[in-house]
Amino acid sequence: MIRTCAAFLFSTSLLACSASLQTPKESEERPNILFIYSDDHATGAVGCYANSVVASHAQTPNIDALAADGMRFDRAFCTNGICAPARAVVLTGKHSHVNGVPDNGASFDGSQATFPKLLRASGYQTALIGKWHLKSTPTGFDHWEVLPGQGEYYSPAFERPGPNYVEGAPIAEGTIERRRLPGYATEVTTDLAIEWLEQERDPAKPFLLMVQHKAPHRSWMPGPEEHALYEGQQLPEPTTLFDDYAGRADGAKTQEMTIARHMWLWYDLKVRSAQWGLADGEPILDGPDKWAQGMEDRMDEAQLAAWDAAYQPRNEAFAAGVRSGELSGAALVRWKYQRYIKDYLRCIAGVDKSVGELVTWLEEHGLDQNTIVVYTSDQGFYLGEHGWYDKRWMYEPSLQLPLVVRWPGTIKAGGVDDHLVQNLDFAPTFLEAAGLKPAADIQGLSLLPLMRGEEPGPGAWRESIYYRYFEVGIHAVPQHYGVRTERHKLINYYGLDQWELFDLELDPDEMTNLIEDPKYAETRERLKAELTRLRTDCGDQD
Ligand code: CA
C-alpha cells in the first residue's frame, strides 16, 4: 500500500494555519496511527512496568509485547489527572487552562485546533470509537461512535452522527443516532473498531484510529470471560494500604477516596443486598438489591446468570464472614481491597485482549509495519496505595501513565525511555509523524526524537513537568499544582496554603513531607522557583 504524495500535497492546502508542512520526502509513506486509550489504567497494573505488588499478577501479555517490540516510557505523566481534562490535553497538546477543560464538568470547545482535525485536513482518514467524555460531539473525525458520558460496561449505548448531523453545529433533533449494542463494552468497542477497519477504511489514505475503552474505570465490572480470574487467590497488598497520612498536608487526611470508608459495597464491590452508606460502620446486609436494580436494563438473562454464578458464592462467603464477626475492621478493608483489585485486574485483562486483537488484525492485513501503535491511559489510579482508589492527586500512582509505543523501523525493539514526557506530547508527536509541523502554540514536545533513540542535547528536553488539578468537590481532593523533576516533587495546595515536598529517590511511596526539613531548604527554593517559571511559561497565572 504505497501512498503517493500527490493527494497529500493537494490536501495540505486545506490545512488550518496552526500546522504547516514539513517537507516530507517525495515518496514517503505516512504512518497509520492506532491510538489505544484506556480509562484509569495505572502502570502498577501493567506487567512490564513491574512497579507495584500486583504488577506480576496483571494479565497484560499483549501490552507487554508492544513494549518488547517497541518502547516503554517509564516517566510518562498526565497534566491534570481526571478523565475529561486528560482527553482534551491529548487532542490539543495544550494544558487545561488553555484548552478550556479544567474539570469533568466542562464541555470541550470542538472548534479549536486538534491533532485529528489537522491530520484529517492533511489527508488522513480519522476515526474514533469508544469513550469520548467531553460533552460536546467529536470534531475532526470522518467516523465516530462513542459511549455517552461515562458509558456502561454491559449492553452499552453508543452515539454516532445521524442523517442531519453537521460537524460543529449545535445538537438538534435527528442529528445524533443512539443504539444499544449487546455484549461487554471492551469487546463491543474492539469489534466496532475492527468493523471500521474492515468496512470503511480507505486504503488510499493513511488512518488515525482512536480506540478508547471505558475499562478499567469504576465500577470495575469485568467481562464474562474474566469473571473467574484470580478466584481462590490472595493478591498482595501495598505496604501503604493502612496509611495514616501522618506528616502530610491536610488534604490527604480529609479526602473521601478510601477503600475503607468510601467504597460502596453494592456499587463498587457488587455485594448484592448490601447497603452503601458504610462510612465507619459495619456492613448492613439484607438491604434492597440495588446492584440488581442497576443491572436490570443492562444485563440479559445469560449475562446475569454467568455473573451470579461467579459472584454470588463469593458474596455469600462475605455475608457469612460479616455475620460471624470475622470481617470487620482491618479484615473488612482487606476483603474490600481483594474484591476491588481483582475486579480491576479482570477489567485490565479484557483491555489487554483488545490490544491483542487489534494488533493481530494489523498483522493479518499487512499494516503492522507502517502503523504506530500506542497504548496509554488518561491517567493512573490508586491500587490501594495510601488506602485509596481513584486518581486526581499529583502523587505517583495517578500522575504516571502507562505508555508503550510500537513503530517498526523507527523504534528499536525493547527500548526503554526515562525522559519526562506528558500527555501534552501526543498531538505534536502524531503531527510530526504525519509530516506536519506542530504549531508554535502547542505546549507539548514531539516524542519522535526519543522514539528514534536520539539523546536530546543539553536543554533540548524538559527537566521538569507542570501539573494542576482544578476540580472541586469530588472525593474532596483539594486543588493543587506542582512540579516534578526526575528526583523531586513539590506540590502547592493553594486553597489550604500548604505545601508538600518529596524525595522520590529515597521515598518512592511519598510518605514523608520534607517541606520543613532544613536539609531540603535549597531544593525547596529551587523547586518553588521552577514552579513559578513553569506557570509563567505555560500561561497559568490564575
Ligand atoms: Ca480516567
Side-chain angles (χ1 to χ4, degrees):
M1 190 179 63
I2 303 297
R3 296 179 195 100
T4 61
C5 244
F8 171 42
L9 290 172
F10 169 75
S11 59
T12 52
S13 61
L14 302 170
L15 267 183
C17 58
S18 50
S20 60
L21 246 185
Q22 226 188 1
T23 62
K25 284 178 252 132
E26 270 302 305
S27 59
E28 194 170 336
E29 192 178 343
R30 300 198 295 165
N32 306 304
I33 300 165
L34 171 59
F35 182 76
I36 310 173
Y37 199 50
S38 59
D39 193 336
D40 295 356
H41 189 180
T43 56
V46 185
C48 66
Y49 275 90
N51 65 354
S52 81
V53 290
V54 295
S56 64
H57 297 267
Q59 299 205 358
T60 54
N62 293 297
I63 298 169
D64 299 343
L66 276 186
D69 294 343
M71 182 171 271
R72 188 184 78 221
F73 288 84
D74 277 358
R75 288 199 183 110
F77 304 102
C78 58
T79 66
N80 178 3
I82 41 169
C83 302
R87 286 150 208 275
V89 169
V90 167
L91 291 169
T92 59
K94 294 170 188 168
H95 281 281
S96 302
H97 64 278
V98 178
N99 68 42
V101 184
D103 54 39
N104 275 345
S107 177
F108 184 69
D109 172 6
S111 70
Q112 64 189 303
T114 65
F115 84 84
K117 270 192 197 176
L118 297 167
L119 290 185
R120 183 171 69 171
S122 83
Y124 269 72
Q125 190 185 16
T126 57
L128 163 74
I129 313 279
K131 185 163 174 180
W132 169 247
H133 201 242
L134 285 168
K135 292 201 157 109
S136 57
T137 53
T139 55
F141 297 95
D142 295 308
H143 171 93
W144 56 265
E145 182 151 19
V146 298
L147 296 161
Q150 293 282 9
E152 297 286 349
Y153 274 115
Y154 280 85
S155 312
F158 278 83
E159 288 181 345
R160 57 183 177 181
N164 302 322
Y165 176 78
V166 178
E167 180 163 306
I171 299 170
E173 192 67 24
T175 56
I176 303 295
E177 214 171 79
R178 182 187 270 241
R179 59 174 179 161
R180 258 177 76 156
L181 295 169
Y184 178 64
T186 306
E187 293 167 7
V188 176
T189 301
T190 310
D191 291 348
L192 289 175
I194 290 177
E195 194 178 294
W196 179 81
L197 284 166
E198 293 192 334
Q199 295 174 14
E200 292 189 46
R201 185 178 76 85
D202 176 356
K205 289 179 173 181
F207 68 80
L208 161 72
L209 172 58
M210 301 178 81
V211 182
Q212 310 202 147
H213 288 297
K214 172 184 174 63
H217 192 276
R218 189 182 186 183
S219 59
W220 321 292
M221 288 185 68
E225 291 180 23
E226 282 79 39
H227 288 164
L229 267 181
Y230 309 111
E231 183 61 20
Q233 290 182 47
Q234 195 75 0
L235 299 187
E237 294 165 2
T239 53
T240 59
L241 182 60
F242 294 95
D243 194 352
D244 63 2
Y245 316 112
R248 268 151 290 154
D250 290 345
K253 303 172 183 101
T254 56
Q255 45 65 37
E256 295 174 357
M257 49 187 278
T258 62
I259 291 172
R261 299 179 59 227
H262 306 104
M263 251 181 191
W264 298 6
L265 263 184
W266 72 271
Y267 175 71
D268 291 318
L269 301 176
K270 304 97 178 174
V271 179
R272 295 174 62 164
S273 308
Q275 300 289 333
W276 61 281
L278 292 175
D280 289 320
E282 296 299 313
I284 301 164
L285 303 169
D286 306 320
D289 190 345
K290 289 189 191 157
W291 188 87
Q293 287 163 15
M295 285 304 124
E296 258 166 24
D297 61 346
R298 302 250 68 92
M299 281 186 174
D300 62 31
E301 252 176 61
Q303 287 168 335
L304 192 58
W307 182 278
D308 280 349
Y311 282 81
Q312 282 305 76
R314 300 169 192 166
N315 290 346
E316 282 157 22
F318 169 76
V322 170
R323 291 195 176 102
S324 72
E326 193 188 319
L327 284 180
S328 67
L332 179 59
V333 176
R334 294 200 151 99
W335 184 91
K336 289 181 186 174
Y337 167 74
Q338 291 294 326
R339 170 65 62 97
Y340 157 56
I341 198 68
K342 288 177 186 175
D343 279 348
Y344 182 89
L345 292 175
R346 288 168 182 142
C347 290
I348 299 295
V351 169
D352 185 77
K353 278 198 311 198
S354 167
V355 172
E357 281 173 45
L358 291 162
V359 169
T360 300
W361 191 93
L362 293 177
E363 287 164 358
E364 287 174 355
H365 292 78
L367 292 169
D368 53 310
Q369 293 302 305
N370 195 33
T371 299
I372 304 172
V373 181
V374 175
Y375 178 80
T376 188
S377 187
D378 53 357
Q379 79 299 296
F381 214 67
Y382 294 90
L383 309 178
E385 297 96 342
H386 307 296
W388 293 342
Y389 64 102
D390 211 72
K391 51 242 182 183
R392 300 164 200 279
W393 300 89
M394 200 189 165
Y395 301 132
E396 291 294 279
S398 54
L399 178 68
Q400 193 185 5
L401 313 170
L403 173 57
V404 299
V405 187
R406 189 184 77 166
W407 188 8
T410 297
I411 298 177
K412 235 167 92 179
V416 177
D417 183 276
D418 62 1
H419 289 88
L420 296 166
V421 310
Q422 285 191 283
N423 52 355
L424 285 171
D425 302 335
F426 290 121
T429 302
F430 296 147
L431 291 170
E432 200 175 280
L436 304 171
K437 187 168 187 262
D441 65 346
I442 283 189
Q443 297 178 306
L445 299 169
S446 167
L447 300 175
L448 285 197
L450 306 183
M451 290 180 184
R452 292 191 201 105
E454 296 163 10
E455 183 54 47
W461 198 261
R462 62 169 75 89
E463 289 175 2
S464 66
I465 60 157
Y466 178 59
Y467 180 89
R468 181 164 179 185
Y469 174 72
F470 293 81
E471 190 154 291
V472 174
I474 310 291
H475 291 290
V477 174
Q479 293 178 311
H480 55 284
Y481 49 66
V483 53
R484 187 204 192 278
T485 63
E486 272 188 24
R487 173 158 181 181
H488 297 103
K489 186 183 293 178
L490 178 78
I491 308 174
N492 181 8
Y493 301 96
Y494 46 93
L496 303 172
D497 195 22
Q498 292 183 357
W499 295 78
E500 285 179 329
L501 171 63
F502 298 104
D503 184 332
L504 301 171
E505 199 173 294
L506 301 179
D507 178 26
D509 292 334
E510 299 165 291
M511 300 292 279
T512 307
N513 181 9
L514 301 164
I515 197 72
E516 304 286 357
D517 189 325
K519 290 198 293 294
Y520 283 83
E522 196 193 321
T523 304
R524 180 186 67 217
E525 294 314 309
R526 182 171 49 79
L527 288 173
K528 279 190 176 176
E530 179 64 358
L531 182 55
T532 302
R533 184 193 71 77
L534 286 169
R535 285 175 52 72
T536 305
D537 272 15
C538 74
D540 189 11
Q541 296 299 311
D542 156 25

